[in-house]
Amino acid sequence: QVQLVESGGGLVQAGGSLRLSCAASVRAANDYTMAWFRQAPGKERDFVAAVRWSVSSTYYTESVKGRFTISRDNAKNTVYLQMNSLKHEDTAVYYCAAGAPGLIATLRGNYDYWGQGTQVTVSA
């Protein structure tokens, strides 16, 4: 069983930055593809970014490219999402997820484990 705990959400003005963290249970971060998804009120939970065991393989949804950076520290079993130049439309609950390696990283259904979510609110 993989346990994931997110932190780092909050309220920020448009143009500001936040860094989300996802602490995984021992070895989870090393063995799984790790990702961030987000869900705005009344909308589906959408893919944001993912990183495979090899940190050279990262994936981003188009709307965050150039603004968000996903990274992982395997020694600390932690995944990060650095979010810069935040926009009002980035407002959502952000979820960390862990999925088996080798599967398509952008598909929500390929992730077996989820955190409880952390709220990010960007004021216009």
Side-chain angles (χ1 to χ4, degrees), residues 41 79 92-93 103:
V79 177
V93 177
L103 300 179

Side-chain angles (χ1 to χ4, degrees), residues 25-43:
S25 53
V26 176
R27 291 186 59 80
N30 294 346
D31 296 340
Y32 288 80
T33 294
M34 303 297 294
W36 290 94
F37 286 73
R38 65 186 179 187
Q39 188 169 18
K43 296 190 176 181

